[in-house]
Amino acid sequence: MVTRIFEFVIIDTEHGPFGPETDVKLVRAADAADMVSVIRVPENTEIAVTKALDTGTSGIVVPGISNVQDARKAVKYAKYAPIGSRGACPCVRANRYGVGDSTYYRRANEDTSVILLIEGKEGLQSFEEILNVEYVDAILLGPVDLSHSLGVPGDIYNPKVVNALSNMMKKAKNKDICVGIFSVDTERAKECLKLGADYVVYNTDTMLFYEACR
């Protein structure tokens, strides 16, 4: 019997040194392991979002969300009409390479998750407005970039960063919006869960491998 350690995996194509050809292999591997996969797209563009979702992944993490316009663009690119403008190619892996039926587009709109990555001062300032954007399924908070944006580069435990993250988590919870945070520290992860985070993106594959080797 296999023990499930992680509930989902994020395939990072923003910082990861690979492209669409590898993405689909990683999504397929996650499916084979009965693991939920989400792709962090490199940028908030129509092509980047389309290529990611065509792999059949369960959702996307969209970086660089600074305002309402950014959030609406992400939703627009991720959803088929009439909600958005996602290109409707019937022959992609997400639609079983053309074997799927016409209900696929409706199901994709219902089941595909749009997760917005908030990691800068502008996103912090526009956070309440971003929470009101329709069809956003979850928020992910990025403490490292936020620390740079707030003038304390890399100091994710600085009170300015901690307070900003705590306030955003509270606001998301008040709106009943799913909110998560990235953490490389288990104790900090536990603290965030106590503060109201619904999920934690814990560490990276390279850092986990380093810890195991050390």
Side-chain angles (χ1 to χ4, degrees):
M1 180 177 180
V2 177
T3 301
R4 174 64 56 79
I5 299 175
F6 298 107
E7 296 175 279
F8 63 94
V9 61
I10 294 180
I11 300 166
D12 187 352
T13 65
E14 181 183 12
H15 296 291
F18 44 79
E21 295 85 354
T22 301
D23 294 347
V24 70
K25 294 176 183 177
L26 296 176
V27 171
R28 190 180 294 118
D31 289 346
D34 195 27
M35 172 75 73
V36 172
S37 69
V38 177
I39 293 180
R40 175 172 169 171
V41 296
E43 56 188 347
N44 188 10
T45 62
E46 187 169 8
I47 293 298
V49 172
T50 297
K51 284 185 175 295
L53 291 177
D54 283 352
T55 66
T57 189
S58 296
I60 51 169
V61 174
V62 185
I65 301 297
S66 299
N67 50 52
V68 170
Q69 289 74 28
D70 291 340
R72 287 175 178 162
K73 278 171 54 178
V75 171
K76 177 183 177 182
Y77 299 151
K79 301 293 182 180
Y80 290 115
I83 299 172
S85 62
R86 178 181 169 187
C89 176
C91 303
V92 296
R93 181 177 185 271
N95 193 27
R96 300 177 60 205
Y97 297 109
V99 178
D101 56 38
S102 59
T103 64
Y104 160 71
Y105 303 105
R106 174 183 56 78
R107 288 185 286 104
N109 273 357
E110 293 172 354
D111 298 339
T112 299
S113 297
V114 178
I115 304 168
L116 305 181
L117 179 53
I118 311 294
E119 49 190 346
K121 184 164 60 177
E122 294 81 4
L124 171 63
Q125 294 168 344
S126 302
F127 192 67
E128 290 186 80
E129 294 175 308
I130 291 170
L131 291 177
N132 290 325
V133 175
E134 197 173 8
Y135 301 110
V136 172
D137 295 286
I139 300 293
L140 176 59
L141 303 177
V144 180
D145 275 321
L146 183 60
S147 71
H148 282 260
S149 183
L150 293 177
V152 287
D155 186 4
I156 61 174
Y157 301 109
N158 186 286
K160 292 169 65 175
V161 179
V162 173
N163 290 337
L165 293 170
S166 298
N167 288 335
M168 285 191 285
M169 281 190 278
K170 289 176 183 177
K171 289 177 181 178
K173 297 302 291 182
N174 289 338
K175 289 278 188 178
D176 199 27
I177 299 291
C178 181
V179 60
I181 190 167
F182 174 76
S183 177
V184 298
D185 181 280
T186 53
E187 292 306 313
R188 176 58 181 158
K190 292 174 184 177
E191 291 175 11
C192 290
L193 291 171
K194 289 179 182 178
L195 286 172
D198 296 293
Y199 66 99
V200 172
V201 177
Y202 179 67
N203 227 318
T204 64
D205 54 351
T206 52
M207 293 180 71
L208 287 170
F209 183 65
Y210 169 75
E211 290 295 333
C213 292
R214 190 177 66 169

